[in-house]
């Protein structure tokens, strides 16, 4: 896998902000084009992404010259080289976005050299590199779709404290899940237009509807009513990404809400129910509701195995979000998946609120057989690109 060239440029994300795009060419002519997403709701312990212009300069002036002409035997070898080149624990010198762009491009180009779909190559790297060499029987497969149909918090300009209201189809087929999700999504839009006015169908950062609501539970009451009308009540589960670090509610207010939420909704999934340093409060909630509900860490764990070790030791969560750009390389994201499996946690791969049309995360989730994947609403091109890629993978994998 000798690298011939690596070129970076600034590209726009879904919020009209600049992010990093790259094109890598290997010696045999195989090439890859990738771009890096970026989040608005970010954990304090995430690897540091630099401003796009600075990250692009670092790729073109520092990373590319060091990679040009070098032969890397594996994804781990390439990523380790980039991490050493930066030298900082949080990747502040070159930028997590700069390192991840090169890491993703090398993975995609390597799949082309092997003449296999990206998800197959992800699975091969997952199984045969890093800690998984000790034996992890995970085969590639479809994740459940965690579809964000109502946006709040930092992702919208409405009065909801919480960030993502999720519907989770129960079918094992991606295509069938998308059909259920789009049916509910459009029915929700129609009901909001009738009951709250046409302005209520305006959307937030991830494509979910974003009007004001009577309270933080009203979106679920509306979704339950629609699901019953469509006879889909038994075909979906519900979930919530509270993103509580940014919710600005007290621990007592949060606990009171979760008691009402779990009683009224019986959710499958609850993400970041408390701010990012409150491991003990997570543990209390996991002890109370964890038998029925996935209590997931995101800002708490930041795809970082050290943070995950603490969460496991304190029994804070039973599920984890995996975002490659939180940690800054493919290999480290795979290490986080391996750690989660060792702890017996559910694995949920995730996009970011500032996305591009790059569908990398769909192949990643399928390759590690994530239990779930978050892509936003089944609307907006940058989200639809990933849903369509999952449908395509499902066809490839037959």
């Amino acid at each position: 896998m000798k690298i011939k060239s690596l070129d970076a440029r600034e590209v726009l994300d879904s919020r009209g902000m600049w992010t990093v795009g790259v094109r890598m060419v290997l010696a045999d002519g195989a090439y890859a084009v990738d771009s890096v997403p970026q989040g608005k709701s970010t954990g304090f312990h995430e690897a540091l992404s630099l401003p796009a212009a600075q990250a692009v300069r670092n790729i073109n002036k520092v990373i590319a010259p060091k990679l040009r002409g070098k032969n890397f035997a594996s994804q781990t070898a390439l990523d380790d080289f980039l991490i050493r080149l930066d030298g900082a624990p949080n990747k502040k010198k070159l930028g997590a976005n700069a390192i991840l762009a090169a890491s993703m491009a090398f993975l995609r180009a390597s799949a082309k050299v092997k003449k296999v779909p990206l998800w197959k190559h992800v699975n091969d790297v997952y199984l045969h590199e890093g800690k998984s060499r000790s034996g992890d029987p995970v085969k590639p497969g479809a994740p459940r779709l965690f579809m964000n149909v109502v946006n709040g918090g930092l992702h919208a300009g409405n009065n909801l404290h919480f960030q993502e209201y999720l519907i989770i189809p129960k079918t094992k087929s991606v295509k069938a899940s998308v059909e259920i999700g789009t049916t509910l999504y459009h029915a929700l839009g129609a009901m909001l237009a009738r009951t709250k006015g046409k302005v209520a169908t305006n959307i937030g950062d991830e494509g979910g509807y974003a009007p004001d609501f009577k309270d933080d539970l009203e979106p679920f009451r509306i979704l339950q009513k629609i699901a019953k009308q469509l006879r889909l009540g038994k075909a979906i589960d519900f979930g919530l990404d509270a993103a509580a670090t940014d919710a600005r509610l007290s621990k007592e207010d949060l606990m009171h809400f979760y008691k009402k939420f779990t009683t009224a909704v019986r959710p499958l999934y609850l993400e970041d129910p408390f701010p990012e340093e409150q491991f003990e409060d997570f543990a209390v909630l996991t002890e109370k509701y964890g038998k029925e509900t996935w209590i997931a860490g995101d800002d708490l764990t930041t795809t970082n195995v050290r943070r995950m070790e603490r969460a496991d030791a304190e029994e804070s969560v039973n599920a984890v979000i995996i975002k490659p750009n939180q940690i800054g390389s493919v290999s480290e994201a795979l290490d986080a998946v391996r750690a989660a499996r060792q702890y017996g946690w559910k694995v949920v791969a995730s996009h970011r609120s500032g996305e591009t049309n790059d569908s990398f995360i769909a192949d990643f989730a399928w390759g590690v057989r994530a239990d779930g994947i978050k892509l936003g609403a089944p609307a907006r091109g940058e989200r639809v690109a990933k849903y369509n890629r999952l449908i395509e993978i499902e066809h490839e994998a037959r």
Side-chain angles (χ1 to χ4, degrees):
M1 304 295 182
K2 182 183 285 188
I3 296 173
K4 180 180 179 181
S5 66
L6 174 65
D7 299 298
R9 68 202 183 284
E10 292 179 69
V11 299
L12 289 173
D13 73 7
S14 56
R15 285 195 291 260
M17 305 295 289
W18 293 113
T19 188
V20 180
V22 294
R23 186 177 192 270
M24 178 180 285
V25 182
L26 301 184
D28 74 341
Y31 71 92
V33 177
D34 279 282
S35 52
V36 177
Q38 46 198 358
K40 181 185 289 185
S41 173
T42 56
F44 178 79
H45 297 279
E46 291 190 24
L48 182 64
S49 287
L50 298 177
Q54 186 177 350
V56 166
R57 284 196 302 271
N58 287 344
I59 293 172
N60 290 334
K61 300 297 184 181
V62 181
I63 295 176
K66 293 288 186 180
L67 294 184
R68 193 175 300 122
K70 277 193 168 53
N71 196 336
F72 293 94
S74 67
Q75 183 70 35
T76 303
L78 179 280
D79 289 340
D80 286 348
F81 180 87
L82 293 172
I83 292 167
R84 289 194 303 270
L85 185 63
D86 182 283
N90 65 349
K91 301 179 178 67
K92 67 179 181 180
K93 293 182 180 179
L94 298 176
N97 45 349
I99 293 172
L100 181 61
S103 178
M104 291 166 58
F106 184 78
L107 187 78
R108 191 182 296 275
S110 299
K112 289 186 177 181
V113 170
K114 293 173 62 177
K115 294 181 171 55
V116 298
L118 180 56
W119 58 270
K120 282 190 176 181
H121 183 51
V122 169
N123 186 251
D124 185 57
V125 173
Y126 179 77
L127 291 176
H128 300 113
E129 295 185 27
K131 297 176 182 178
S132 66
R133 289 180 181 178
S134 61
D136 187 334
V138 170
K139 296 180 180 180
R144 290 188 69 179
L145 304 186
F146 287 48
M147 308 177 81
N148 179 6
V149 296
V150 173
N151 291 181
L154 292 184
H155 290 176
N158 59 11
N159 64 343
L160 293 175
H161 290 99
F162 304 119
Q163 191 161 279
E164 300 177 18
Y165 289 72
L166 306 164
I167 57 172
I168 310 167
K170 293 182 179 181
T171 174
K172 294 181 180 179
S173 162
V174 170
K175 181 67 160 39
S177 292
V178 170
E179 288 177 348
I180 291 171
T182 54
T183 297
L184 276 165
Y185 179 75
H186 294 305
L188 173 61
M191 178 173 283
L192 291 175
R194 288 196 306 271
T195 59
K196 296 179 181 290
K198 290 184 178 180
V199 71
T201 59
N202 289 343
I203 60 176
D205 280 347
E206 296 185 359
Y209 300 113
D212 283 345
F213 288 90
K214 295 176 182 178
D215 56 54
D216 288 311
L217 273 178
E218 188 186 15
F220 286 117
R221 292 195 293 269
I222 294 173
L223 286 168
Q224 288 173 323
K225 181 178 180 180
I226 293 171
K228 184 177 180 180
Q229 291 174 347
L230 296 175
R231 298 183 180 180
L232 291 174
K234 295 182 179 180
I236 59 169
D237 290 311
F238 293 106
L240 177 71
D241 176 4
T245 298
D246 301 304
R248 298 181 181 180
L249 294 173
S250 69
K251 180 174 74 174
E252 292 72 25
D253 287 339
L254 290 168
M255 279 293 195
H256 180 67
F257 174 81
Y258 298 141
K259 182 177 180 180
K260 293 193 297 181
F261 172 54
T262 54
T263 300
V265 179
R266 299 184 66 84
L268 174 72
Y269 183 79
L270 176 57
E271 178 184 333
D272 271 357
F274 297 101
E276 59 195 345
E277 301 297 344
Q278 295 179 208
F279 286 84
E280 292 182 1
D281 294 330
F282 272 79
V284 170
L285 205 68
T286 300
E287 172 66 24
K288 192 168 186 178
Y289 301 116
K291 290 183 180 179
E292 296 183 353
T293 303
W294 305 4
I295 309 296
D298 178 17
D299 290 349
L300 182 82
T301 45
T302 60
T303 316
N304 185 313
V305 293
R306 292 183 180 178
R307 298 281 295 180
M308 292 169 66
E309 286 172 2
R310 180 178 175 186
D312 176 61
E314 299 193 26
E315 299 182 343
S316 299
V317 298
N318 59 15
V320 67
I321 284 288
I322 300 294
K323 295 174 177 174
N325 88 315
Q326 280 185 326
I327 194 63
S329 75
V330 171
S331 295
E332 290 169 297
L334 292 174
D335 282 342
V337 175
R338 296 179 187 111
R341 292 245 163 76
Q342 290 174 1
Y343 302 147
W345 296 351
K346 299 293 186 180
V347 172
V348 181
S350 178
H351 66 158
R352 299 307 297 254
S353 57
E355 264 295 342
T356 73
N357 288 339
D358 193 324
S359 59
F360 174 88
I361 196 65
D363 286 83
F364 181 92
W366 197 286
V368 301
R369 202 184 189 98
D371 299 285
I373 185 170
K374 292 172 61 182
L375 299 175
R380 298 183 53 148
E382 75 280 358
R383 318 292 159 181
V384 169
K386 296 164 182 61
Y387 283 111
N388 284 337
R389 176 57 186 151
L390 283 174
I391 294 170
E392 183 179 26
I393 295 172
E394 186 170 59
H395 182 74
E396 291 174 352
R398 288 176 182 172

